[in-house]
Amino acid sequence: MEQDITLKKEGQGLAFLKTLVAKFTPKFQKGDLLPWLKKSGITLLSILLFLGLWHMGSKALYNKEANYKIEKALTEQGQAAADAERDCIASGDSSCQPNTLPSPTQVWASLQTLIADHKVINADKAAFNEKMAATNAKLVAQGKNAIVYTGRASFVDIVLTSIKTVFAGFLLALLIAVPIGVVIGLSPSLRSAFNWFIQIFKPVSPVVWYLLVFMIVKTLYIGDSSDNAFVISFISVGLCAMWATLVNTAMGVSSVDKDYINVAKVLKLGTFQKIFKVILPSSLPLIFTGLRITLSVAWMVLIAIELLAQSQGLGLFVWEEFQNGANDSNAKIIVAMFVIGIIGFLLDRIMLSVQNMVSFNKNEGV
């Protein structure tokens, strides 16, 4: 009897696993497997081609700078100095290596270094928190602030800070642009009245938005010793990126089929009922197109704004590595570039998935 119960449970477990695998496994119709393999093969081939061209390009630039350093030593100091420079470069000594475009292997090594560094910093944080646990408990009991770890941030922490900033800026853009876009879209007179405002401020550089926000926030926080770099960063990002959502929302609302509006009038729907039951559902494809553009723009301008605001994100990381000029600085910059690109791609896919869930118009995106 016990054996039967055990077999039944095992059978239920296997059935659950089969269901889970079936859910996340691509469903191929007859004849779909070959096109899928072809598409995957072309993608893999393009990646290998990219890596090959990158490797050859970095090697050519390395050789060019190495030859220049040797020729310079020969011209200025003679043959012995040139031979010494050549031997130093061949030995791999970091003091004389050409500082140019890193190869794929160097970038991979820098990524591993950054991950190892993150683990070390996390261990330091854990040790600090453990050491200060009793003291912090007493401080909190007395109504005071706990002592927090203020050491340097790891690369993972830096990435998370940038993601937090861009989502805060995106939320701000959504809360400003969608309501204003709906109001403007409902009234041709308001569209005409505010068109000059949109056309003038839409192309303004993120640097200028940062300076404007800095002027305002600095005054509002006057006398406050707290770090307001995050506040300045996310407000600047939101104001710089909101325009695509504002324009697309106004366009979507203004282009709603008049028959839908007439039906709403026949049903005697109130203003808010008409907006939430008729206008917004009809405008969702254009609104989400604007939101996708806004999120992409927010992620792009974030790097420049973080650099200016001295916020501990990817923008400041890239600039500090460029200024550092260490042997692996260029490789770390390339790591940050790939991380920025991958996160930007994932953010766009997330927005596309949300759009497909709430909208009748399904698309795979570009």
Side-chain angles (χ1 to χ4, degrees):
M1 189 66 163
E2 290 180 359
Q3 187 178 6
D4 291 342
I5 293 171
T6 303
L7 289 173
K8 187 176 181 182
K9 288 182 177 178
E10 288 178 355
Q12 289 174 345
L14 289 173
F16 172 74
L17 287 174
K18 287 179 181 178
T19 305
L20 193 64
V21 170
K23 183 177 180 181
F24 291 100
T25 303
K27 296 179 177 61
F28 294 107
Q29 301 288 342
K30 185 177 180 181
D32 284 353
L33 183 59
L34 187 60
W36 181 82
L37 290 173
K38 184 178 178 182
K39 185 178 178 181
S40 301
I42 291 173
T43 302
L44 180 61
L45 185 63
S46 67
I47 292 172
L48 293 174
L49 178 63
F50 170 76
L51 292 174
L53 291 173
W54 177 10
H55 175 75
M56 289 189 294
S58 65
K59 188 175 180 181
L61 291 170
Y62 178 92
N63 291 335
K64 181 179 176 63
E65 188 164 340
N67 291 333
Y68 172 78
K69 289 168 74 75
I70 294 168
E71 288 293 331
K72 185 178 179 181
L74 177 65
T75 304
E76 295 179 355
Q77 302 175 37
Q79 186 63 47
D83 292 339
E85 186 72 25
R86 183 182 290 106
D87 293 339
C88 183
I89 292 172
S91 70
D93 187 349
S94 60
S95 64
C96 56
Q97 291 300 301
N99 190 20
T100 182
L101 178 69
S103 66
T105 52
Q106 289 174 309
V107 172
W108 178 251
S110 289
L111 175 61
Q112 292 176 311
T113 300
L114 289 169
I115 293 172
D117 184 58
H118 168 70
K119 292 177 180 178
V120 171
I121 292 174
N122 266 2
D124 290 343
K125 284 182 183 177
F128 175 84
N129 291 333
E130 185 178 352
K131 182 179 178 181
M132 300 302 299
T135 304
N136 283 337
K138 292 178 182 177
L139 290 172
V140 171
Q142 295 170 5
K144 298 178 181 178
N145 292 329
I147 301 172
V148 296
Y149 179 82
T150 55
R152 65 188 181 89
S154 71
F155 183 70
V156 175
D157 295 330
I158 286 168
V159 171
L160 292 176
T161 298
S162 289
I163 292 174
K164 182 175 72 171
T165 305
V166 83
F167 270 113
F170 174 74
L171 182 61
L172 177 66
L174 186 151
L175 293 175
I176 294 174
V178 172
I180 294 177
V182 170
V183 172
I184 292 175
L186 288 172
S187 170
S189 300
L190 284 176
R191 281 202 304 276
S192 301
F194 284 95
N195 184 57
W196 68 270
F197 181 85
I198 296 170
Q199 298 306 324
I200 287 176
F201 287 102
K202 184 172 65 172
V204 171
S205 164
V207 176
V208 179
W209 280 116
Y210 162 77
L211 295 174
L212 176 64
V213 173
F214 176 79
M215 296 174 202
I216 298 170
V217 172
K218 178 185 64 118
T219 305
L220 293 176
Y221 277 74
I222 196 165
D224 190 342
S225 59
S226 61
D227 183 17
N228 50 35
F230 172 74
V231 176
I232 293 172
S233 295
F234 90 79
I235 293 176
S236 302
V237 167
L239 293 179
C240 186
M242 72 176 188
W243 302 100
T245 298
L246 176 56
V247 171
N248 277 43
T249 302
M251 187 183 300
V253 170
S254 64
S255 59
V256 172
D257 195 323
K258 299 302 179 186
D259 290 337
Y260 297 160
I261 305 296
N262 292 333
V263 169
K265 289 179 180 177
V266 170
L267 295 174
K268 297 182 179 179
L269 296 180
T271 302
F272 287 102
Q273 286 181 311
K274 183 171 70 173
I275 290 172
F276 286 102
K277 291 187 176 181
V278 178
I279 292 172
L280 282 180
S282 302
S283 309
L284 278 180
L286 272 175
I287 292 173
F288 268 94
T289 300
L291 288 172
R292 285 178 64 195
I293 296 171
T294 288
L295 189 55
S296 297
V297 171
W299 187 244
M300 283 191 294
V301 303
L302 174 71
I303 305 306
I305 288 172
E306 282 183 334
L307 188 158
L308 293 168
Q310 296 292 291
S311 178
Q312 287 295 328
L314 283 165
L316 188 60
F317 172 83
V318 169
W319 181 250
E320 286 181 343
E321 288 298 332
F322 175 74
Q323 293 288 86
N324 185 20
N327 192 49
D328 63 345
S329 289
N330 288 353
K332 288 180 179 178
I333 290 171
I334 302 298
V335 170
M337 182 188 77
F338 276 105
V339 169
I340 291 166
I342 291 168
I343 292 175
F345 169 76
L346 293 175
L347 292 176
D348 183 73
R349 294 299 97 176
I350 290 170
M351 283 301 303
L352 181 62
S353 299
V354 174
Q355 177 180 349
N356 287 336
M357 281 192 294
V358 301
S359 173
F360 293 108
N361 293 356
K362 313 294 182 185
N363 63 80
E364 297 181 358
V366 179

